[in-house]
Amino acid sequence: MAFIPLKDYNPLQRIRFQTVTVMLIAASVAVFLWQSSLPEGEARNAIYALGLVPSVLFGTETLPDGVALVAPEITILTSMFLHGGWMHLIGNMLYLWIFGDNIEDAMGHGRFLVFYLLCGTAAALSQAAMASDSTIPMVGASGAISGVLGAYILLHPRTKVLVALIGRLLVTLPAVTVLGLWILLQFVSASLDDGGGGGTAWWAHIGGFVAGLILIIPMRDRSVPLFDRAPHSPGDPPPGAPPPRWSLRGRTGRGSRFPDSGGRNL
C-alpha cells in the first residue's frame, strides 16, 4: 500500500484497557511462534490442517490421512490465528492495535470478542464462496480485522490518523480517508484478481468489512452514537473535556487567567 497507519488520536472512553485486543494479538503471535518452531513439512501440514480450505469446507475434497486435526467447520476459527509470514502477521497486528481498542471500547470486552469472531467468520465464508473449489488454505486475521475497520469508519470517520506515506512522509488524515482508500483498494484488487487461488484473499477483506459495518450497529453500547467524534489531533483536549474558562480581573487586565495548558491526552 502507499500508506501505513501508525496511530489514531482517539482516547478510550468506557474501558480502562483494551484487554481483548491485546489477548487477540498475543494469541496470534503465540500461534505464529509455534508455526515457526515446526519443521518445514510439519508447518505445511499445520497450515492445511488448521487453515480453511474451501473445497474441504464444502465437502468436495478431503485432506490426506494424518493431516486433518479438526472438523472443517472449526477451521473457520482456527484459520484466523495462523499467518503466512512475519510481514503478514505484523501488518495485521498493527491494524488491530491501532483500531481495535476503540471498537472494544464501544461495545465492551465480551461483545468485542464475539464481534471479532463473527466478522472473521463472515470474511472466511465470503472468500470461500467466491472460490469454492480452491484447495489452497486460507489463513490470517485480516478478515476479522477488516470487520474492525468497517466498524471504525462508521463510529469515528473524522478522527485523525497518523499515516506514513511512501518516502517516509508523515501526515494526519481523517479515518474515513484512510479506511475508505483501504476498502477501495480491496474492491479494485478483487476485480483484477482472476480468482484462481493464491495470494491475498480480497473477498475475505470485503466480506469482513461489510460484516463490521452491519454488526457494529446492534452490538455497540446504546450510549455510543454513530459518527460521534470531531477531528482529533496531537495537543487536542480529550473528548468530553469542559471548554476552557476565561476570566479577567479589572479593566487593566492585571491578574487575568488564561486556559490551563497542562495535561493533554494524546
Side-chain angles (χ1 to χ4, degrees), residues 1 3 95 142-143 145-147 149-151 153 175-191 201-213:
M1 290 184 64
F3 58 85
Y95 272 80
S142 54
I145 296 168
S146 298
L149 305 186
I153 202 172
V176 67
T177 300
V178 176
L179 302 182
L181 289 173
W182 180 87
I183 190 60
L184 177 61
L185 175 63
Q186 312 312 304
F187 275 106
V188 171
S189 300
S191 67
W202 305 112
W203 287 106
H205 297 175
I206 295 168
F209 190 89
V210 172
L213 285 173

PDB file of all heavy atoms in Angstrom, residues 1 3 95 142-143 145-147 149-151 153 175-191 201-213:
ATOM      1  N   MET A   1       0.836  -1.202   0.000  1.00  0.00           N
ATOM      2  CA  MET A   1       0.000   0.000   0.000  1.00  0.00           C
ATOM      3  C   MET A   1       0.868   1.249   0.000  1.00  0.00           C
ATOM      4  O   MET A   1       2.013   1.234   0.403  1.00  0.00           O
ATOM      5  CB  MET A   1      -0.909   0.007   1.237  1.00  0.00           C
ATOM      6  CG  MET A   1      -2.014  -1.033   1.217  1.00  0.00           C
ATOM      7  SD  MET A   1      -3.087  -0.888   2.648  1.00  0.00           S
ATOM      8  CE  MET A   1      -3.782   0.725   2.350  1.00  0.00           C
ATOM      9  N   PHE A   3       0.397   3.833   1.861  1.00  0.00           N
ATOM     10  CA  PHE A   3       0.448   4.439   3.179  1.00  0.00           C
ATOM     11  C   PHE A   3       0.296   3.375   4.253  1.00  0.00           C
ATOM     12  O   PHE A   3      -0.291   2.316   4.029  1.00  0.00           O
ATOM     13  CB  PHE A   3      -0.647   5.502   3.329  1.00  0.00           C
ATOM     14  CG  PHE A   3      -2.036   4.987   3.103  1.00  0.00           C
ATOM     15  CD1 PHE A   3      -2.762   4.391   4.125  1.00  0.00           C
ATOM     16  CD2 PHE A   3      -2.633   5.098   1.850  1.00  0.00           C
ATOM     17  CE1 PHE A   3      -4.039   3.912   3.912  1.00  0.00           C
ATOM     18  CE2 PHE A   3      -3.915   4.619   1.629  1.00  0.00           C
ATOM     19  CZ  PHE A   3      -4.621   4.029   2.666  1.00  0.00           C
ATOM     20  N   TYR A  95      -2.781  -3.031  12.400  1.00  0.00           N
ATOM     21  CA  TYR A  95      -4.142  -2.516  12.202  1.00  0.00           C
ATOM     22  C   TYR A  95      -5.027  -2.842  13.404  1.00  0.00           C
ATOM     23  O   TYR A  95      -5.837  -2.007  13.834  1.00  0.00           O
ATOM     24  CB  TYR A  95      -4.746  -3.105  10.928  1.00  0.00           C
ATOM     25  CG  TYR A  95      -4.439  -2.324   9.680  1.00  0.00           C
ATOM     26  CD1 TYR A  95      -3.211  -2.461   9.031  1.00  0.00           C
ATOM     27  CD2 TYR A  95      -5.366  -1.453   9.130  1.00  0.00           C
ATOM     28  CE1 TYR A  95      -2.921  -1.742   7.880  1.00  0.00           C
ATOM     29  CE2 TYR A  95      -5.094  -0.732   7.975  1.00  0.00           C
ATOM     30  CZ  TYR A  95      -3.868  -0.878   7.358  1.00  0.00           C
ATOM     31  OH  TYR A  95      -3.589  -0.169   6.218  1.00  0.00           O
ATOM     32  N   SER A 142      -6.805 -11.049   8.876  1.00  0.00           N
ATOM     33  CA  SER A 142      -7.186  -9.837   8.159  1.00  0.00           C
ATOM     34  C   SER A 142      -8.685  -9.728   7.924  1.00  0.00           C
ATOM     35  O   SER A 142      -9.226  -8.623   7.880  1.00  0.00           O
ATOM     36  CB  SER A 142      -6.431  -9.736   6.840  1.00  0.00           C
ATOM     37  OG  SER A 142      -6.606 -10.902   6.066  1.00  0.00           O
ATOM     38  N   GLY A 143      -9.383 -10.837   7.760  1.00  0.00           N
ATOM     39  CA  GLY A 143     -10.829 -10.767   7.575  1.00  0.00           C
ATOM     40  C   GLY A 143     -11.529 -10.238   8.811  1.00  0.00           C
ATOM     41  O   GLY A 143     -12.402  -9.361   8.726  1.00  0.00           O
ATOM     42  N   ILE A 145     -10.123  -8.447  11.180  1.00  0.00           N
ATOM     43  CA  ILE A 145      -9.671  -7.069  11.387  1.00  0.00           C
ATOM     44  C   ILE A 145     -10.357  -6.133  10.401  1.00  0.00           C
ATOM     45  O   ILE A 145     -10.632  -4.966  10.713  1.00  0.00           O
ATOM     46  CB  ILE A 145      -8.143  -6.995  11.274  1.00  0.00           C
ATOM     47  CG1 ILE A 145      -7.509  -7.813  12.399  1.00  0.00           C
ATOM     48  CG2 ILE A 145      -7.656  -5.554  11.329  1.00  0.00           C
ATOM     49  CD1 ILE A 145      -6.029  -8.066  12.246  1.00  0.00           C
ATOM     50  N   SER A 146     -10.685  -6.628   9.213  1.00  0.00           N
ATOM     51  CA  SER A 146     -11.463  -5.823   8.267  1.00  0.00           C
ATOM     52  C   SER A 146     -12.805  -5.439   8.865  1.00  0.00           C
ATOM     53  O   SER A 146     -13.315  -4.337   8.619  1.00  0.00           O
ATOM     54  CB  SER A 146     -11.670  -6.598   6.963  1.00  0.00           C
ATOM     55  OG  SER A 146     -10.446  -6.880   6.330  1.00  0.00           O
ATOM     56  N   GLY A 147     -13.400  -6.339   9.648  1.00  0.00           N
ATOM     57  CA  GLY A 147     -14.637  -6.002  10.351  1.00  0.00           C
ATOM     58  C   GLY A 147     -14.426  -4.881  11.341  1.00  0.00           C
ATOM     59  O   GLY A 147     -15.289  -3.996  11.496  1.00  0.00           O
ATOM     60  N   LEU A 149     -12.255  -2.501  10.992  1.00  0.00           N
ATOM     61  CA  LEU A 149     -12.138  -1.285  10.190  1.00  0.00           C
ATOM     62  C   LEU A 149     -13.506  -0.790   9.719  1.00  0.00           C
ATOM     63  O   LEU A 149     -13.764   0.420   9.696  1.00  0.00           O
ATOM     64  CB  LEU A 149     -11.228  -1.534   8.987  1.00  0.00           C
ATOM     65  CG  LEU A 149      -9.821  -2.068   9.282  1.00  0.00           C
ATOM     66  CD1 LEU A 149      -8.995  -2.124   8.002  1.00  0.00           C
ATOM     67  CD2 LEU A 149      -9.122  -1.236  10.335  1.00  0.00           C
ATOM     68  N   GLY A 150     -14.377  -1.712   9.346  1.00  0.00           N
ATOM     69  CA  GLY A 150     -15.728  -1.321   8.950  1.00  0.00           C
ATOM     70  C   GLY A 150     -16.476  -0.657  10.085  1.00  0.00           C
ATOM     71  O   GLY A 150     -17.169   0.356   9.896  1.00  0.00           O
ATOM     72  N   ALA A 151     -16.336  -1.206  11.290  1.00  0.00           N
ATOM     73  CA  ALA A 151     -16.985  -0.607  12.455  1.00  0.00           C
ATOM     74  C   ALA A 151     -16.393   0.761  12.760  1.00  0.00           C
ATOM     75  O   ALA A 151     -17.113   1.715  13.084  1.00  0.00           O
ATOM     76  CB  ALA A 151     -16.835  -1.532  13.661  1.00  0.00           C
ATOM     77  N   ILE A 153     -14.945   2.986  10.762  1.00  0.00           N
ATOM     78  CA  ILE A 153     -15.307   4.048   9.819  1.00  0.00           C
ATOM     79  C   ILE A 153     -16.733   4.530  10.055  1.00  0.00           C
ATOM     80  O   ILE A 153     -17.073   5.680   9.742  1.00  0.00           O
ATOM     81  CB  ILE A 153     -15.114   3.562   8.363  1.00  0.00           C
ATOM     82  CG1 ILE A 153     -14.955   4.746   7.411  1.00  0.00           C
ATOM     83  CG2 ILE A 153     -16.255   2.659   7.917  1.00  0.00           C
ATOM     84  CD1 ILE A 153     -14.567   4.342   6.000  1.00  0.00           C
ATOM     85  N   ALA A 175      -9.978   9.339   9.458  1.00  0.00           N
ATOM     86  CA  ALA A 175     -10.116   7.889   9.353  1.00  0.00           C
ATOM     87  C   ALA A 175     -10.928   7.498   8.130  1.00  0.00           C
ATOM     88  O   ALA A 175     -10.655   6.471   7.499  1.00  0.00           O
ATOM     89  CB  ALA A 175     -10.768   7.340  10.622  1.00  0.00           C
ATOM     90  N   VAL A 176     -11.926   8.301   7.767  1.00  0.00           N
ATOM     91  CA  VAL A 176     -12.749   7.956   6.605  1.00  0.00           C
ATOM     92  C   VAL A 176     -11.903   7.943   5.332  1.00  0.00           C
ATOM     93  O   VAL A 176     -12.161   7.147   4.414  1.00  0.00           O
ATOM     94  CB  VAL A 176     -13.948   8.925   6.469  1.00  0.00           C
ATOM     95  CG1 VAL A 176     -13.491  10.330   6.120  1.00  0.00           C
ATOM     96  CG2 VAL A 176     -14.947   8.411   5.435  1.00  0.00           C
ATOM     97  N   THR A 177     -10.873   8.794   5.263  1.00  0.00           N
ATOM     98  CA  THR A 177      -9.990   8.807   4.103  1.00  0.00           C
ATOM     99  C   THR A 177      -9.078   7.583   4.107  1.00  0.00           C
ATOM    100  O   THR A 177      -8.941   6.886   3.095  1.00  0.00           O
ATOM    101  CB  THR A 177      -9.139  10.085   4.093  1.00  0.00           C
ATOM    102  OG1 THR A 177     -10.003  11.234   4.045  1.00  0.00           O
ATOM    103  CG2 THR A 177      -8.208  10.104   2.896  1.00  0.00           C
ATOM    104  N   VAL A 178      -8.457   7.320   5.257  1.00  0.00           N
ATOM    105  CA  VAL A 178      -7.528   6.191   5.355  1.00  0.00           C
ATOM    106  C   VAL A 178      -8.238   4.871   5.087  1.00  0.00           C
ATOM    107  O   VAL A 178      -7.800   4.057   4.267  1.00  0.00           O
ATOM    108  CB  VAL A 178      -6.865   6.176   6.744  1.00  0.00           C
ATOM    109  CG1 VAL A 178      -5.964   4.951   6.897  1.00  0.00           C
ATOM    110  CG2 VAL A 178      -6.066   7.460   6.978  1.00  0.00           C
ATOM    111  N   LEU A 179      -9.349   4.650   5.789  1.00  0.00           N
ATOM    112  CA  LEU A 179     -10.048   3.371   5.664  1.00  0.00           C
ATOM    113  C   LEU A 179     -10.872   3.305   4.382  1.00  0.00           C
ATOM    114  O   LEU A 179     -11.076   2.217   3.834  1.00  0.00           O
ATOM    115  CB  LEU A 179     -10.925   3.144   6.890  1.00  0.00           C
ATOM    116  CG  LEU A 179     -10.163   3.147   8.229  1.00  0.00           C
ATOM    117  CD1 LEU A 179     -11.106   2.872   9.395  1.00  0.00           C
ATOM    118  CD2 LEU A 179      -9.022   2.136   8.207  1.00  0.00           C
ATOM    119  N   GLY A 180     -11.329   4.452   3.908  1.00  0.00           N
ATOM    120  CA  GLY A 180     -12.036   4.470   2.628  1.00  0.00           C
ATOM    121  C   GLY A 180     -11.125   4.071   1.481  1.00  0.00           C
ATOM    122  O   GLY A 180     -11.517   3.302   0.598  1.00  0.00           O
ATOM    123  N   LEU A 181      -9.901   4.601   1.492  1.00  0.00           N
ATOM    124  CA  LEU A 181      -8.934   4.205   0.464  1.00  0.00           C
ATOM    125  C   LEU A 181      -8.570   2.733   0.592  1.00  0.00           C
ATOM    126  O   LEU A 181      -8.378   2.034  -0.408  1.00  0.00           O
ATOM    127  CB  LEU A 181      -7.678   5.073   0.572  1.00  0.00           C
ATOM    128  CG  LEU A 181      -7.827   6.529   0.132  1.00  0.00           C
ATOM    129  CD1 LEU A 181      -6.550   7.300   0.456  1.00  0.00           C
ATOM    130  CD2 LEU A 181      -8.136   6.619  -1.360  1.00  0.00           C
ATOM    131  N   TRP A 182      -8.484   2.263   1.836  1.00  0.00           N
ATOM    132  CA  TRP A 182      -8.149   0.854   2.054  1.00  0.00           C
ATOM    133  C   TRP A 182      -9.207  -0.063   1.446  1.00  0.00           C
ATOM    134  O   TRP A 182      -8.873  -1.004   0.717  1.00  0.00           O
ATOM    135  CB  TRP A 182      -8.009   0.586   3.549  1.00  0.00           C
ATOM    136  CG  TRP A 182      -7.664  -0.836   3.858  1.00  0.00           C
ATOM    137  CD1 TRP A 182      -6.417  -1.395   3.915  1.00  0.00           C
ATOM    138  CD2 TRP A 182      -8.590  -1.908   4.119  1.00  0.00           C
ATOM    139  NE1 TRP A 182      -6.507  -2.742   4.193  1.00  0.00           N
ATOM    140  CE2 TRP A 182      -7.819  -3.075   4.321  1.00  0.00           C
ATOM    141  CE3 TRP A 182      -9.973  -1.980   4.201  1.00  0.00           C
ATOM    142  CZ2 TRP A 182      -8.418  -4.304   4.603  1.00  0.00           C
ATOM    143  CZ3 TRP A 182     -10.563  -3.201   4.474  1.00  0.00           C
ATOM    144  CH2 TRP A 182      -9.789  -4.346   4.683  1.00  0.00           C
ATOM    145  N   ILE A 183     -10.496   0.182   1.732  1.00  0.00           N
ATOM    146  CA  ILE A 183     -11.537  -0.711   1.217  1.00  0.00           C
ATOM    147  C   ILE A 183     -11.684  -0.547  -0.291  1.00  0.00           C
ATOM    148  O   ILE A 183     -11.972  -1.517  -1.013  1.00  0.00           O
ATOM    149  CB  ILE A 183     -12.887  -0.499   1.940  1.00  0.00           C
ATOM    150  CG1 ILE A 183     -13.880  -1.601   1.574  1.00  0.00           C
ATOM    151  CG2 ILE A 183     -13.464   0.875   1.645  1.00  0.00           C
ATOM    152  CD1 ILE A 183     -13.432  -3.002   1.925  1.00  0.00           C
ATOM    153  N   LEU A 184     -11.428   0.657  -0.812  1.00  0.00           N
ATOM    154  CA  LEU A 184     -11.450   0.843  -2.270  1.00  0.00           C
ATOM    155  C   LEU A 184     -10.386  -0.023  -2.929  1.00  0.00           C
ATOM    156  O   LEU A 184     -10.624  -0.653  -3.966  1.00  0.00           O
ATOM    157  CB  LEU A 184     -11.227   2.318  -2.603  1.00  0.00           C
ATOM    158  CG  LEU A 184     -11.162   2.658  -4.099  1.00  0.00           C
ATOM    159  CD1 LEU A 184     -12.472   2.308  -4.803  1.00  0.00           C
ATOM    160  CD2 LEU A 184     -10.828   4.141  -4.289  1.00  0.00           C
ATOM    161  N   LEU A 185      -9.204  -0.073  -2.307  1.00  0.00           N
ATOM    162  CA  LEU A 185      -8.130  -0.913  -2.838  1.00  0.00           C
ATOM    163  C   LEU A 185      -8.536  -2.380  -2.857  1.00  0.00           C
ATOM    164  O   LEU A 185      -8.194  -3.117  -3.802  1.00  0.00           O
ATOM    165  CB  LEU A 185      -6.874  -0.728  -2.001  1.00  0.00           C
ATOM    166  CG  LEU A 185      -5.683  -1.629  -2.355  1.00  0.00           C
ATOM    167  CD1 LEU A 185      -5.190  -1.349  -3.762  1.00  0.00           C
ATOM    168  CD2 LEU A 185      -4.553  -1.444  -1.350  1.00  0.00           C
ATOM    169  N   GLN A 186      -9.284  -2.813  -1.846  1.00  0.00           N
ATOM    170  CA  GLN A 186      -9.715  -4.215  -1.812  1.00  0.00           C
ATOM    171  C   GLN A 186     -10.653  -4.530  -2.972  1.00  0.00           C
ATOM    172  O   GLN A 186     -10.547  -5.579  -3.620  1.00  0.00           O
ATOM    173  CB  GLN A 186     -10.413  -4.537  -0.478  1.00  0.00           C
ATOM    174  CG  GLN A 186      -9.682  -4.083   0.773  1.00  0.00           C
ATOM    175  CD  GLN A 186      -8.220  -4.461   0.788  1.00  0.00           C
ATOM    176  OE1 GLN A 186      -7.854  -5.628   0.660  1.00  0.00           O
ATOM    177  NE2 GLN A 186      -7.354  -3.460   0.961  1.00  0.00           N
ATOM    178  N   PHE A 187     -11.590  -3.610  -3.261  1.00  0.00           N
ATOM    179  CA  PHE A 187     -12.519  -3.831  -4.369  1.00  0.00           C
ATOM    180  C   PHE A 187     -11.783  -3.829  -5.711  1.00  0.00           C
ATOM    181  O   PHE A 187     -12.049  -4.671  -6.583  1.00  0.00           O
ATOM    182  CB  PHE A 187     -13.610  -2.754  -4.368  1.00  0.00           C
ATOM    183  CG  PHE A 187     -14.776  -3.062  -3.463  1.00  0.00           C
ATOM    184  CD1 PHE A 187     -14.932  -2.379  -2.269  1.00  0.00           C
ATOM    185  CD2 PHE A 187     -15.714  -4.020  -3.808  1.00  0.00           C
ATOM    186  CE1 PHE A 187     -15.996  -2.650  -1.430  1.00  0.00           C
ATOM    187  CE2 PHE A 187     -16.790  -4.311  -2.984  1.00  0.00           C
ATOM    188  CZ  PHE A 187     -16.934  -3.617  -1.787  1.00  0.00           C
ATOM    189  N   VAL A 188     -10.858  -2.889  -5.882  1.00  0.00           N
ATOM    190  CA  VAL A 188     -10.103  -2.826  -7.138  1.00  0.00           C
ATOM    191  C   VAL A 188      -9.272  -4.091  -7.320  1.00  0.00           C
ATOM    192  O   VAL A 188      -9.250  -4.704  -8.395  1.00  0.00           O
ATOM    193  CB  VAL A 188      -9.203  -1.575  -7.164  1.00  0.00           C
ATOM    194  CG1 VAL A 188      -8.264  -1.618  -8.360  1.00  0.00           C
ATOM    195  CG2 VAL A 188     -10.053  -0.310  -7.205  1.00  0.00           C
ATOM    196  N   SER A 189      -8.603  -4.515  -6.238  1.00  0.00           N
ATOM    197  CA  SER A 189      -7.767  -5.715  -6.322  1.00  0.00           C
ATOM    198  C   SER A 189      -8.598  -6.955  -6.592  1.00  0.00           C
ATOM    199  O   SER A 189      -8.199  -7.828  -7.372  1.00  0.00           O
ATOM    200  CB  SER A 189      -6.977  -5.883  -5.018  1.00  0.00           C
ATOM    201  OG  SER A 189      -6.140  -4.777  -4.784  1.00  0.00           O
ATOM    202  N   ALA A 190      -9.778  -7.047  -5.956  1.00  0.00           N
ATOM    203  CA  ALA A 190     -10.651  -8.199  -6.180  1.00  0.00           C
ATOM    204  C   ALA A 190     -11.134  -8.249  -7.627  1.00  0.00           C
ATOM    205  O   ALA A 190     -11.235  -9.326  -8.226  1.00  0.00           O
ATOM    206  CB  ALA A 190     -11.838  -8.153  -5.225  1.00  0.00           C
ATOM    207  N   SER A 191     -11.417  -7.077  -8.190  1.00  0.00           N
ATOM    208  CA  SER A 191     -11.911  -7.047  -9.562  1.00  0.00           C
ATOM    209  C   SER A 191     -10.826  -7.430 -10.569  1.00  0.00           C
ATOM    210  O   SER A 191     -11.126  -7.913 -11.659  1.00  0.00           O
ATOM    211  CB  SER A 191     -12.451  -5.649  -9.897  1.00  0.00           C
ATOM    212  OG  SER A 191     -11.411  -4.698  -9.926  1.00  0.00           O
ATOM    213  N   ALA A 201      -6.560 -12.864  -0.039  1.00  0.00           N
ATOM    214  CA  ALA A 201      -7.995 -13.178  -0.078  1.00  0.00           C
ATOM    215  C   ALA A 201      -8.791 -11.879  -0.039  1.00  0.00           C
ATOM    216  O   ALA A 201      -9.305 -11.466   1.008  1.00  0.00           O
ATOM    217  CB  ALA A 201      -8.367 -14.091   1.092  1.00  0.00           C
ATOM    218  N   TRP A 202      -8.897 -11.223  -1.199  1.00  0.00           N
ATOM    219  CA  TRP A 202      -9.536  -9.909  -1.244  1.00  0.00           C
ATOM    220  C   TRP A 202     -10.982  -9.952  -0.795  1.00  0.00           C
ATOM    221  O   TRP A 202     -11.460  -9.037  -0.101  1.00  0.00           O
ATOM    222  CB  TRP A 202      -9.453  -9.337  -2.665  1.00  0.00           C
ATOM    223  CG  TRP A 202      -8.074  -9.265  -3.222  1.00  0.00           C
ATOM    224  CD1 TRP A 202      -7.550  -9.981  -4.255  1.00  0.00           C
ATOM    225  CD2 TRP A 202      -7.003  -8.416  -2.766  1.00  0.00           C
ATOM    226  NE1 TRP A 202      -6.239  -9.657  -4.482  1.00  0.00           N
ATOM    227  CE2 TRP A 202      -5.868  -8.690  -3.575  1.00  0.00           C
ATOM    228  CE3 TRP A 202      -6.894  -7.464  -1.748  1.00  0.00           C
ATOM    229  CZ2 TRP A 202      -4.660  -8.037  -3.413  1.00  0.00           C
ATOM    230  CZ3 TRP A 202      -5.687  -6.806  -1.575  1.00  0.00           C
ATOM    231  CH2 TRP A 202      -4.591  -7.098  -2.395  1.00  0.00           C
ATOM    232  N   TRP A 203     -11.708 -11.016  -1.178  1.00  0.00           N
ATOM    233  CA  TRP A 203     -13.125 -11.066  -0.820  1.00  0.00           C
ATOM    234  C   TRP A 203     -13.330 -11.317   0.674  1.00  0.00           C
ATOM    235  O   TRP A 203     -14.374 -10.962   1.224  1.00  0.00           O
ATOM    236  CB  TRP A 203     -13.843 -12.132  -1.655  1.00  0.00           C
ATOM    237  CG  TRP A 203     -14.016 -11.682  -3.067  1.00  0.00           C
ATOM    238  CD1 TRP A 203     -13.338 -12.118  -4.169  1.00  0.00           C
ATOM    239  CD2 TRP A 203     -14.906 -10.657  -3.529  1.00  0.00           C
ATOM    240  NE1 TRP A 203     -13.749 -11.428  -5.290  1.00  0.00           N
ATOM    241  CE2 TRP A 203     -14.712 -10.539  -4.933  1.00  0.00           C
ATOM    242  CE3 TRP A 203     -15.846  -9.845  -2.900  1.00  0.00           C
ATOM    243  CZ2 TRP A 203     -15.432  -9.631  -5.704  1.00  0.00           C
ATOM    244  CZ3 TRP A 203     -16.565  -8.930  -3.672  1.00  0.00           C
ATOM    245  CH2 TRP A 203     -16.362  -8.829  -5.055  1.00  0.00           C
ATOM    246  N   ALA A 204     -12.338 -11.886   1.327  1.00  0.00           N
ATOM    247  CA  ALA A 204     -12.409 -12.005   2.781  1.00  0.00           C
ATOM    248  C   ALA A 204     -12.349 -10.623   3.417  1.00  0.00           C
ATOM    249  O   ALA A 204     -13.077 -10.327   4.372  1.00  0.00           O
ATOM    250  CB  ALA A 204     -11.270 -12.884   3.303  1.00  0.00           C
ATOM    251  N   HIS A 205     -11.482  -9.763   2.898  1.00  0.00           N
ATOM    252  CA  HIS A 205     -11.393  -8.397   3.410  1.00  0.00           C
ATOM    253  C   HIS A 205     -12.716  -7.659   3.212  1.00  0.00           C
ATOM    254  O   HIS A 205     -13.200  -6.979   4.117  1.00  0.00           O
ATOM    255  CB  HIS A 205     -10.280  -7.641   2.696  1.00  0.00           C
ATOM    256  CG  HIS A 205      -8.922  -8.215   2.921  1.00  0.00           C
ATOM    257  ND1 HIS A 205      -7.796  -7.736   2.287  1.00  0.00           N
ATOM    258  CD2 HIS A 205      -8.495  -9.226   3.714  1.00  0.00           C
ATOM    259  CE1 HIS A 205      -6.735  -8.425   2.682  1.00  0.00           C
ATOM    260  NE2 HIS A 205      -7.150  -9.354   3.540  1.00  0.00           N
ATOM    261  N   ILE A 206     -13.286  -7.805   2.029  1.00  0.00           N
ATOM    262  CA  ILE A 206     -14.540  -7.116   1.723  1.00  0.00           C
ATOM    263  C   ILE A 206     -15.679  -7.660   2.584  1.00  0.00           C
ATOM    264  O   ILE A 206     -16.470  -6.902   3.163  1.00  0.00           O
ATOM    265  CB  ILE A 206     -14.869  -7.250   0.224  1.00  0.00           C
ATOM    266  CG1 ILE A 206     -13.806  -6.510  -0.607  1.00  0.00           C
ATOM    267  CG2 ILE A 206     -16.257  -6.725  -0.081  1.00  0.00           C
ATOM    268  CD1 ILE A 206     -13.855  -6.799  -2.091  1.00  0.00           C
ATOM    269  N   GLY A 207     -15.765  -8.981   2.681  1.00  0.00           N
ATOM    270  CA  GLY A 207     -16.829  -9.587   3.491  1.00  0.00           C
ATOM    271  C   GLY A 207     -16.722  -9.221   4.951  1.00  0.00           C
ATOM    272  O   GLY A 207     -17.733  -8.928   5.615  1.00  0.00           O
ATOM    273  N   GLY A 208     -15.497  -9.202   5.490  1.00  0.00           N
ATOM    274  CA  GLY A 208     -15.320  -8.812   6.878  1.00  0.00           C
ATOM    275  C   GLY A 208     -15.671  -7.360   7.105  1.00  0.00           C
ATOM    276  O   GLY A 208     -16.300  -7.008   8.115  1.00  0.00           O
ATOM    277  N   PHE A 209     -15.277  -6.491   6.181  1.00  0.00           N
ATOM    278  CA  PHE A 209     -15.576  -5.063   6.296  1.00  0.00           C
ATOM    279  C   PHE A 209     -17.080  -4.817   6.314  1.00  0.00           C
ATOM    280  O   PHE A 209     -17.586  -4.063   7.157  1.00  0.00           O
ATOM    281  CB  PHE A 209     -14.925  -4.322   5.130  1.00  0.00           C
ATOM    282  CG  PHE A 209     -14.940  -2.829   5.242  1.00  0.00           C
ATOM    283  CD1 PHE A 209     -13.907  -2.164   5.871  1.00  0.00           C
ATOM    284  CD2 PHE A 209     -15.971  -2.086   4.695  1.00  0.00           C
ATOM    285  CE1 PHE A 209     -13.898  -0.777   5.969  1.00  0.00           C
ATOM    286  CE2 PHE A 209     -15.982  -0.697   4.788  1.00  0.00           C
ATOM    287  CZ  PHE A 209     -14.937  -0.035   5.425  1.00  0.00           C
ATOM    288  N   VAL A 210     -17.793  -5.439   5.403  1.00  0.00           N
ATOM    289  CA  VAL A 210     -19.254  -5.281   5.356  1.00  0.00           C
ATOM    290  C   VAL A 210     -19.893  -5.820   6.634  1.00  0.00           C
ATOM    291  O   VAL A 210     -20.820  -5.212   7.185  1.00  0.00           O
ATOM    292  CB  VAL A 210     -19.827  -5.978   4.105  1.00  0.00           C
ATOM    293  CG1 VAL A 210     -21.357  -5.996   4.144  1.00  0.00           C
ATOM    294  CG2 VAL A 210     -19.332  -5.280   2.839  1.00  0.00           C
ATOM    295  N   ALA A 211     -19.406  -6.965   7.122  1.00  0.00           N
ATOM    296  CA  ALA A 211     -19.936  -7.512   8.377  1.00  0.00           C
ATOM    297  C   ALA A 211     -19.731  -6.537   9.524  1.00  0.00           C
ATOM    298  O   ALA A 211     -20.619  -6.353  10.364  1.00  0.00           O
ATOM    299  CB  ALA A 211     -19.255  -8.847   8.685  1.00  0.00           C
ATOM    300  N   GLY A 212     -18.565  -5.884   9.578  1.00  0.00           N
ATOM    301  CA  GLY A 212     -18.307  -4.907  10.623  1.00  0.00           C
ATOM    302  C   GLY A 212     -19.241  -3.720  10.535  1.00  0.00           C
ATOM    303  O   GLY A 212     -19.735  -3.226  11.559  1.00  0.00           O
ATOM    304  N   LEU A 213     -19.497  -3.238   9.318  1.00  0.00           N
ATOM    305  CA  LEU A 213     -20.441  -2.132   9.126  1.00  0.00           C
ATOM    306  C   LEU A 213     -21.824  -2.477   9.670  1.00  0.00           C
ATOM    307  O   LEU A 213     -22.502  -1.641  10.278  1.00  0.00           O
ATOM    308  CB  LEU A 213     -20.559  -1.794   7.633  1.00  0.00           C
ATOM    309  CG  LEU A 213     -19.422  -1.037   6.962  1.00  0.00           C
ATOM    310  CD1 LEU A 213     -19.683  -0.963   5.462  1.00  0.00           C
ATOM    311  CD2 LEU A 213     -19.267   0.357   7.543  1.00  0.00           C
TER     312      LEU A 213
END
